[in-house]
Amino acid sequence: MTAIAIDIHSKTYSAQGTAPAHRAIANLKLTLTSNEFICLVGPSGCGKTTLLNIIAGLDPDFKGDIRLETGHKKPVIGYVFQNPRLLPWRTVRENITLALAGEHAPETVDALLDIMQLTQAQHVYPERLSLGMSRRVSIIRAFAVNPDILLMDEPFVSLDAPTARQVRNLLLELWQRRPHTVLFVTHDLREAIALADRLLFLSPSPMTVMGEISVPIARAERNDEAQVEAFRQKLLAHYPEIKTLL
Amino acid sequence: MTAIAIDIHSKTYSAQGTAPAHRAIANLKLTLTSNEFICLVGPSGCGKTTLLNIIAGLDPDFKGDIRLETGHKKPVIGYVFQNPRLLPWRTVRENITLALAGEHAPETVDALLDIMQLTQAQHVYPERLSLGMSRRVSIIRAFAVNPDILLMDEPFVSLDAPTARQVRNLLLELWQRRPHTVLFVTHDLREAIALADRLLFLSPSPMTVMGEISVPIARAERNDEAQVEAFRQKLLAHYPEIKTLL
Amino acid sequence: TLRLGILAFGTVAWEIEALKQQKLLDSAAFDLEIHPVANPEAGKIALQSGAVDIIVSDWIWVSKLRASGEDFTFYPYSNTSGALVVPENSPIRSLKDLPGKRLGLAGGELDKNWLLLQALGQRQSLDLNASVEKVFGAPPILSQQLLRQRLDAVMTYWHFAARLEAQGYRQVLDGRDIVKGLGINEAVPTLGYVFRQSFGEQHRQSINSFLNSTRQVRQTLCQSDSAWQKIIPLTQAEDTVTQNKLRLRYCDGNIDSWGEKERQAAGRIYQLLKNLSDNRLTGAGSALQPGTFWSTD
Amino acid sequence: MRLLQNRYRLQLLNALSLLLLLGLWQFLAFYLNSNTLPTPAVVAKVFWQETVSGQLPYHLGITLFRLVVSFTIAMLLGCALGIVLGCNKALDAFFDNWLVIFLNIPALVAIILCYVWFGLVESAAILAVVINKLPNVVVTVREGTRTLDQDLLEMARCYHFGRRKTFIHVVWPQLHPFLMAATRSGLALIWKIILVVELLGRSQGMGYQLHLFFQLFDVAGILAYTLAFVAVIQLIELVILKPLDKKAQRWRR
Amino acid sequence: MRLLQNRYRLQLLNALSLLLLLGLWQFLAFYLNSNTLPTPAVVAKVFWQETVSGQLPYHLGITLFRLVVSFTIAMLLGCALGIVLGCNKALDAFFDNWLVIFLNIPALVAIILCYVWFGLVESAAILAVVINKLPNVVVTVREGTRTLDQDLLEMARCYHFGRRKTFIHVVWPQLHPFLMAATRSGLALIWKIILVVELLGRSQGMGYQLHLFFQLFDVAGILAYTLAFVAVIQLIELVILKPLDKKAQRWRR
Ligand SMILES: Nc1ncnc2c1ncn2[C@@H]1O[C@H](COP(=O)(O)OP(=O)(O)OP(=O)(O)O)[C@@H](O)[C@H]1O
Ligand SMILES: Nc1ncnc2c1ncn2[C@@H]1O[C@H](COP(=O)(O)OP(=O)(O)OP(=O)(O)O)[C@@H](O)[C@H]1O
Ligand SMILES: [Mg+2]
Ligand SMILES: [Mg+2]
């Protein structure tokens, strides 16, 4: 039940030593209705992570305004960072449960660990995991908190195709069971089409919205590779303004 | 001019605290002819990074034998790690030039920085880069050393489609200009087909080779999405033993 | 009660122990409470912080503090003073032989004996400060260095000197010789009890009685061998030669007379030291402060 | 198997080193043949005598008590201050001067002033030690706090860890090596300071006792007491610090 | 603009803290009105007299010379040993005992033995300081070495950085915070030790001088000399350590 109104006038990383100041975001206006699933597509280094950080409240140093309209007071945020950001001195399971406030049902964690095939590794320290495994832990952590807003920064890279498929389905299932707003960053257009209500195409720095396209495919048909591919071809052919991004 | 003969009887990560010992690789036999381009496809956590580390000589703690048959004494290895592994206290350019032994032509670095669109960021410390930019630096570093063996662990994730395409082409161009052996880990079957001479499908832990398929598409036609897609469909349909991986 | 801060194995400790042995403490007109301290500086801290009432120190320090507004006062306890000690076969026989030699000095450049020695040197037109190779250091280390022949002579505190003597080293001259050489014939005390004047006036009776008892017990220690035998462990010396040497020097320091003459002599020494140390030792006071010496009557 | 052998090898090496040190000492003592370096046997004898007489345990016990109290206070306060200064630039700018001044006040001065102002009481002695040790801990922990991983702190903020959880699970493990350094060199520093503290104003304890030995130049006594202390620290090292280290490091590959 | 303002604000705070400290001191001195805590004015006067007479600069210079020499030796040796022990488990197991022992040898003992064996000479004094400081540096640097990032070391190995390059570009920057902690608390420690060293066997230097003051219980003199030393350290802090810190930290976001 969370709508987000984003109105960032500008976000500038200040100069430091030899590095010049860098304007990462300029005039970005965006409204996300409740329970929308949005995919962000944009060139590397355009400012996607910066945007997610701002929405998550991790970076208050920008000009503009973010409004999170939630029913209850403080929206719970699940954030799959671009790097797993696990605490290396806590086991897999501890890393997940630490993110859960106070009381939590161990079964949910068990179930998620099981789906992600990490039950065996649950008492292992993250240094002993492969990168893909760490990423899965970080995904579980974000799912487990039952977020009102779910921010996912390229969450499925380093996952093999079958696992990625599975996690994608899980994500949709969770989303349909308990609606929440999802912002999903990806470079894979097929993935974006298969998941999103709306695709946002972002310009290189300073980032702003270049194009906005709703995906007209019914949820039930998203698993059909052919449909996705067809829409992708259409995009590639018919939208010259976002051509450079694809 | 480097052929590699890999014969790993077993690689076991020893038990530590509550974590049990883990046999990551078992009976992996593999011969790479000179200047071959190999793509490794396998589930997350199967042992691909472990294998690359062993080949790079970073992990001597295994049973078996790796022979690198090179003309001159010590093969130069370029390794794009799964994480960028940049020195945060050195600038982008310093990170690259540090990997180069003694004398080197600044022009090569300049050219690579230019292609990767990092010329502007060359004097910036890595903390100010986006993840995709860091990855590009790490790719430049591996290319710049003029390697005899190039190990790439999912190098193109976090790169947007146009950049990824460009880097892929650059990789092939470099490879054709100065032949060297490439081991390329990816989860993206299309990417693998577009690049590899041979695809190796790996089993889950303990890792071993499940299937080995040469790509019959001529180099010139690799850019044709349709051909790649067709071969991919063929793979999906006709190789039951690797079905679970795709 | 009198709270007394003393060195654990110092001569005051001998006397207190002797008092105990002779069962004089129970009947005395004062109660004693002993606080052992590790070194003289610790005693000064203890006195100033109010942890003890009486310590053993010197009168120059008392005068200096009086000048700065404190009301400490001093009652003489001993005349013993440091000595210049050399190896038995050393060519050093007098002050004249010192120039060019490596001389160990306890107590630093403001040590009274060293200052007075320099004054004596001046009378013989010797600039000791310039001509002697001075090595300041802690007394135990200096003794050790002399033993290892790394020093030619040391000017050290009396008990270190006595121990060296017991090992066959020769005393060239001691503090009293120096003072005499400077034309002061009276024996001036070096150490004494120091306490607050206000405290003394409040407890005049017990203090005077305490001072009396210790004076008497010193007589016994010097005269009666049996009394001496009992406190020998406190000398921390294993062999009788050292023990005897310590006893000899200890008794040498006995105060025979303490009157106006001696006080005036003290005043002269004060002026001498004041000039020699360029005011550093004596502080701001222009002369020995009145009231520095406690009078028992 | 191999791991086990490895552990045995390390323990063997450990024992060997002690033996070698003893051997060296014996050789030197024999070679110098002077009372400034008694042989291990002589020192052991003194050690035994002092232990049986109860002197050594008494003084050691008192000194250890002071050590434990002042160490605890200094570490707790030092960590708190160090973390605060490391996180907050304004406070750091404000207190930096004070820190440098307190860091460089000679032990002697702090001790004298404490005693003179608060009297020759136990608390003054402990305060003097704390004043000497505290700035060291602050400086070390502040250095550690400045290197904290921002990514992990952000993660903690994003998932509403709160202060307590963030501290225990995110900050503390990262400070561990700095705390270990502060602890190890801190124990040693306190030991150096406490000797002076006891020398100047206490009537018991190792410092008091060592000074007596020093006056008599009884090197055997000094060494015997030193050894007793070193043995205690070695014990602390084995029973507390090493296991702590191991526990804190077990996540490393 | 904002950054500039920020810097001014920090400098203002810095100055303010000094003023506050002075005020506190003045107040306390006034309130206590005892010769054990002279007012800042009195101390300043003594400071001025001693400076004009040349005494203070002379002794300060000598002590600083000893400080620099022994600090340099201790840091260089300490870093080398610390890194070696941090990297090599066998050597660490071997030398761990020695380290604990040397760490906990009382300053006094080391100083006495040095003087007795090598005589009351300059080199003995410096050796004594080094012996006291060295184990501290070793312990701190060893702790730092244990936390080195293995990923980066692997990267360096893979790209054949070689020893020198690895050390300069990979290891050193990671050790920086530990070295800073060792430097800051090291300067302070050496200062504490050197006083004892000079007290026991040197004929000039701050320790010797402070001891004279101490014997006379001249707190103003003690504080004047202390201030001189603190000022020097503060200068080192401003001119060397702070800029170094800034340079080493500039990569942080
Ligand atoms: N801490 C920082 N300080 C200064 N500049 C930064 C910082 N973080 C990011 N930038 C710059 O801001 C821009 C946007 O970075 P951001 O990480 O948001 O990109 P991104 O869209 O997430 O890219 P990628 O897909 O590669 O992760 C980049 O050009 C980067 O150089
Ligand atoms: N240092 C380590 N100690 C113990 N086990 C490890 C260690 N590194 C990896 N492993 C285990 O070895 C297996 C293989 O790991 P590896 O990193 O090689 O996987 P991967 O194929 O690269 O996976 P991914 O695609 O997720 O990166 C995993 O199950 C992992 O848990
Ligand atoms: Mg990003
Ligand atoms: Mg991997």
Side-chain angles (χ1 to χ4, degrees), chain A residues 11-209:
Chain A
K11 157 73 199 175
T12 308
Y13 288 107
S14 55
Q16 193 185 0
T18 53
H22 180 84
R23 188 149 183 224
I25 304 182
N27 296 319
L28 186 106
K29 277 207 183 74
L30 200 57
T31 322
L32 283 78
T33 59
S34 249
N35 313 327
E36 203 175 10
F37 199 126
I38 300 254
C39 274
L40 302 173
V41 180
S44 164
C46 74
K48 303 177 294 294
T49 304
T50 307
L51 176 64
L52 294 196
N53 282 343
I54 289 177
I55 296 176
L58 296 178
D59 184 353
D61 179 25
F62 65 99
K63 285 202 192 98
D65 189 37
I66 302 283
R67 249 171 316 132
L68 309 179
E69 280 146 24
T70 47
H72 48 274
K73 289 142 296 178
K74 215 177 181 179
V76 176
I77 293 176
Y79 192 166
V80 181
F81 299 95
Q82 209 166 1
N83 269 331
R85 301 206 186 174
L86 304 181
L87 300 171
W89 38 81
R90 294 288 177 265
T91 62
V92 165
R93 203 188 173 91
E94 286 166 351
N95 262 290
I96 297 165
T97 53
L98 273 174
L100 304 172
E103 10 48 59
H104 65 269
E107 300 85 45
T108 346
V109 178
D110 287 341
L112 284 168
L113 282 168
D114 189 43
I115 298 179
M116 298 286 195
Q117 299 155 37
L118 285 170
T119 311
Q120 290 236 322
Q122 63 177 316
H123 296 305
V124 159
Y125 290 102
E127 294 267 331
R128 290 176 70 95
L129 300 182
S130 79
L131 188 61
M133 293 162 90
S134 306
R135 274 185 196 288
R136 279 179 271 159
V137 178
S138 126
I139 295 171
I140 297 180
R141 182 172 59 188
F143 285 173
V145 295
N146 248 328
D148 300 307
I149 303 173
L150 184 58
L151 307 173
M152 305 185 87
D153 204 348
E154 305 188 57
F156 301 153
V157 302
S158 295
L159 297 190
D160 53 294
T163 309
R165 231 174 357 248
Q166 207 171 357
V167 182
R168 228 171 273 138
N169 290 336
L170 175 66
L171 169 59
L172 289 175
E173 191 190 312
L174 288 174
W175 181 63
Q176 268 147 0
R177 199 186 314 153
R178 181 176 173 284
H180 48 274
T181 312
V182 182
L183 273 125
F184 190 103
V185 173
T186 182
H187 290 299
D188 183 344
L189 197 53
R190 288 186 190 88
E191 180 171 67
I193 297 170
L195 289 172
D197 291 330
R198 192 153 49 121
L199 303 178
L200 285 180
F201 293 94
L202 304 167
S203 73
S205 298
M207 181 173 91
T208 190
V209 180

